[in-house]
């Protein structure tokens, strides 16, 4: 049995949001983290990803499926999502990007605070 996803899995000020390195759209990296422990239903993904609307999460999952990162399965009228081998192969580069963001966290924060978001 897979352990439920923690509601606070992603901090409001999360390195994945701060990092200039993106994997897919804004939510792809976080969805992949949710799926690295095994298949999840859409409603399970919504728990730690409470900041995303159902419409945007659906769009992200469809794009990930199109790109071969996620497999959508339907069994007994329940839909679940799981990482494909290609999706799993992205976990190591994501780990490296997260480590880099943690290492440069203060510099990234200083840069964000010193420069206006929109010009």
């Amino acid at each position: 049995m897979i352990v439920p996803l923690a509601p606070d899995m992603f901090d409001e000020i999360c390195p994945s949001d701060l990092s200039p390195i993106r994997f897919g759209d804004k939510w792809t990296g976080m969805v992949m983290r949710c799926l690295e422990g095994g298949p999840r239903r859409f409603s399970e993904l919504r728990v730690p990803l409470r900041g995303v609307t159902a419409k945007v999460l659906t769009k992200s999952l469809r794009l990930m499926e199109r790109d071969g990162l996620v497999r959508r399965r339907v069994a007994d009228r329940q839909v679940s999502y799981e990482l494909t081998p290609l999706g799993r192969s992205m976990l190591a580069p994501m780990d490296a990007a997260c480590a880099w963001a943690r290492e440069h966290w203060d510099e990234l924060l200083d840069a964000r605070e010193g420069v206006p978001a929109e010009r």
Side-chain angles (χ1 to χ4, degrees), residues 12-88:
E12 287 182 27
I13 303 174
C14 177
S16 64
D17 190 42
L18 183 64
S19 177
I21 301 168
R22 294 276 177 177
F23 294 88
D25 66 11
K26 177 179 179 177
W27 301 102
T28 298
M30 288 185 267
V31 170
M32 292 182 72
R33 288 294 180 209
C34 291
L35 295 175
E36 72 181 313
R40 298 287 180 173
R41 294 188 328 273
F42 187 87
S43 59
E44 289 179 283
L45 295 173
R46 296 286 315 272
V47 174
L49 300 173
R50 60 194 172 280
V52 64
T53 65
K55 180 179 177 180
V56 171
L57 180 56
T58 298
K59 182 180 176 184
S60 292
L61 286 164
R62 285 182 181 158
L63 290 173
M64 292 172 72
E65 185 178 13
R66 179 205 67 193
D67 292 340
L69 304 176
V70 167
R71 181 176 301 114
R72 180 180 186 267
R73 293 196 186 265
V74 180
D76 298 325
R77 298 175 56 174
Q78 286 196 3
V79 177
S80 65
Y81 298 89
E82 65 183 326
L83 291 177
T84 63
L86 181 62
R88 287 206 167 279

Side-chain angles (χ1 to χ4, degrees), residues 73-119:
R73 293 196 186 265
V74 180
D76 298 325
R77 298 175 56 174
Q78 286 196 3
V79 177
S80 65
Y81 298 89
E82 65 183 326
L83 291 177
T84 63
L86 181 62
R88 287 206 167 279
S89 74
M90 279 185 59
L91 293 175
M94 282 178 51
D95 289 342
C98 288
W100 179 88
R102 278 190 300 275
E103 182 178 332
H104 296 283
W105 180 257
D106 291 334
E107 295 164 86
L108 290 165
L109 280 176
D110 290 346
R112 292 268 172 104
E113 290 172 359
V115 178
E118 299 281 329
R119 289 187 189 224

